[in-house]
Amino acid sequence: MVTEVSLSVDLAIILLAATVAGFLAKQSGQPTVIAYILAGVVVGPVVFGFVEATDLTETIAELGLAFLLFLLGIKMRIDEVSHILAPIVKVSLPQMAAVAGVGIGVSLLLGFDLSESIIIGLAVMYSSTAVVIKMLTDLGQTTTLHGKIDVGILLAQDIVVVIILAVLAAGRPDDIAEVATTLVVVLILVALVSALALGASRYALPAIFRRIADNQQVFFLIAIAWAFLFVFISDEINLFLAPVGIEAYLSIEMGAFLAGVAIAQLPYSKELQDRVNPLTDLFVMIFFATVALRLDASDLLYYWQEAIIAAIVLMIAKFVIFYTLLNWQRFDGETTFLGSIYMVQVSEFGVVVGVAAVAGDFIAVEILGFLTLLALITMGISVYFFAYSDQLYDRFEPHISRLEADKTFTEDRRTLNDHAVVIGYDDLTRNLLSLLDDHFEQLVVVDRRTDHVELLSDEGYDVVFGDIGSSSIRKDVELKKAAFVLSSSDSPEISRILLRETKEDAVVVLEARSDATASMFYELGADFVIQSVPLASKRLSKYLEDHLTTPDRFLESIGRDTGILLESDPFPHIHDLIEGKLDD
């Protein structure tokens, strides 16, 4: 009982310290990952020694890493990066090899032995997924060409790091042949589990999620259960291999990642991202805080001089390598510069590789301290490259323009701009879709019912499954660029979000249940607020007036409007039928 209370207190201290550190980091514009690690440094053996690593913190931390990769998998929609897939592959593979080579070389020069230098090289060749994606999101640059290139390269790096984690987790090998054998077995297992995940995504998951997607609670629980299924398959892979006499290892991170990739190909993945994010943030916060619990002050600062030198060399080398490769792929100067300067930091996954290497007895704990300090330094500095990227580009643009290729890469994907967004498909909005579709070149409909999504898709409409309350959905439909927004949601909170995020000259039409709510929306900038009861009352008043004064006109109006209501066509061009008829 005492032990359970102690574990609970340890977890509470970690959560409190990481939360406070994360809040301070956001206020100062620093990456929260750095704050979480520093929180672990403060409450762990390095400073105060309030908390030590335990089985509970280790288990939660491992789940945190699995959920982080599950979330990464959910974001990996193949169709969104397919048009730049070739240059991403051509850049990411040689980039990782080149940076690993620089990491090995500088480590050897700093006095590390060959095996330690190889691990360091493997740990520093990634850029920080957490830092880059967070900063791109904060700057609104995720849909820019350099943003998509960086995200694509990060995904390629994430796949490689998961494979390396699996190899390291197999333990120290006796010779090179054993390393090669382990790698081959891991790649075969990854291929088999990938085929299982993508096969399920194509043939099994659509039917399952189509049935449960309308129930948000069940939808979330099934998705989490799907992730844990692949975590179990990966963790207990030997149960499946025992009949054929093979023993191997597959990391739970790989299983979680592939589970996410399978869901990512479904039309329901965007909404799930926002639901998984809070859970992932909690586990990841604990994971990075517990990284420092394995270190004391002497471990973290043992190689502090080497860490500073390596940080300077690696940031310069990463920029040069990225710039050279992106320029080779004929991206324009601005895309090449920004795509390179955003990727100069050492990733949090470098620390993860270090943790796995320590567990596999490849390196001493002091090397993990070196990698942790190296990640902290480079991530902290790189944030300012994001903050001042425009000024940096303007400063170097005259020199960059001379290096730009004559014919640069251009995207052929159409982006949404000055388009119409319709939220909800019901009796109100369905009667207006044809009118909006005729007027706007681009129209996007957002709805949470799977039968509506299928119906709209069959009719050729651009439809997104999900809740507009989800930030991922709002980004997906480019809400901030829309020229016209029509919402049939009567949720005041949703309406406030729409008014807050639409551009100033956009026309926003909302629905409200009361006069007070409608007045509030008008004060916030709504162009028109639909009130069903007052509108129906006004319409009924007109009907009665026609009935009492001109009965023939009443019968004509009633017949026409009743016919519209009974119309079986889900997309009637009713604006041609009702325009001006009632008030003539």
Side-chain angles (χ1 to χ4, degrees), residues 480-525:
K480 293 182 179 180
K481 297 181 181 179
F484 181 91
V485 177
L486 168 63
S487 172
S488 64
S489 171
D490 57 9
S491 165
E493 181 57 34
I494 292 295
S495 297
R496 280 193 289 265
I497 290 174
L498 297 176
L499 290 169
R500 184 169 63 246
E501 294 196 8
T502 48
K503 59 184 180 180
E504 188 174 347
D505 59 345
V507 175
V508 181
V509 180
L510 305 172
E511 185 170 10
R513 291 185 178 182
S514 66
D515 291 339
T517 304
S519 298
M520 177 185 67
F521 291 163
Y522 280 122
E523 291 176 2
L524 293 175

Side-chain angles (χ1 to χ4, degrees), residues 160-283:
V160 173
V161 75
V162 171
I163 294 174
I164 289 176
L165 287 174
V167 174
L168 290 175
R172 180 179 287 275
D174 295 327
D175 50 40
I176 296 298
E178 186 176 342
V179 174
T181 301
T182 301
L183 180 59
V184 169
V185 171
V186 168
L187 290 176
I188 292 174
L189 291 176
V190 169
L192 291 175
V193 178
S194 299
L196 174 63
L198 295 178
S201 177
R202 183 176 180 86
Y203 299 108
L205 291 183
I208 295 173
F209 278 89
R210 189 181 300 115
R211 290 179 177 274
I212 56 92
D214 293 336
N215 188 317
Q216 297 185 27
Q217 287 73 29
V218 175
F219 172 66
F220 174 72
L221 291 175
I222 293 293
I224 297 300
W226 174 255
F228 274 108
L229 172 63
F230 275 75
V231 166
F232 170 77
I233 291 173
S234 301
D235 192 43
E236 302 295 336
I237 193 70
N238 285 319
L239 290 177
F240 305 96
L241 298 178
V244 294
I246 298 176
E247 185 173 341
Y249 173 84
L250 188 63
S251 69
I252 66 171
E253 295 84 14
M254 173 60 82
F257 175 74
L258 293 175
V261 171
I263 292 179
Q265 312 315 310
L266 304 177
Y268 320 110
S269 61
K270 291 291 183 181
E271 182 178 0
L272 184 61
Q273 291 176 23
D274 279 4
R275 295 187 175 278
V276 174
N277 258 323
L279 186 62
T280 302
D281 288 345
L282 173 64
F283 283 129

Side-chain angles (χ1 to χ4, degrees), residues 40-90:
V41 170
V42 171
V43 302
V46 174
V47 180
F48 293 115
F50 294 148
V51 182
E52 295 182 355
T54 64
D55 291 340
L56 176 63
T57 58
E58 294 285 345
T59 300
I60 296 178
E62 191 172 14
L63 284 175
L65 183 56
F67 270 100
L68 177 60
L69 288 167
F70 178 59
L71 181 61
L72 287 174
I74 293 174
K75 294 179 179 179
M76 189 176 175
R77 287 192 60 86
I78 296 173
D79 59 337
E80 291 185 356
V81 296
S82 59
H83 66 298
I84 53 173
L85 187 59
I88 283 175
V89 173
K90 291 177 182 178

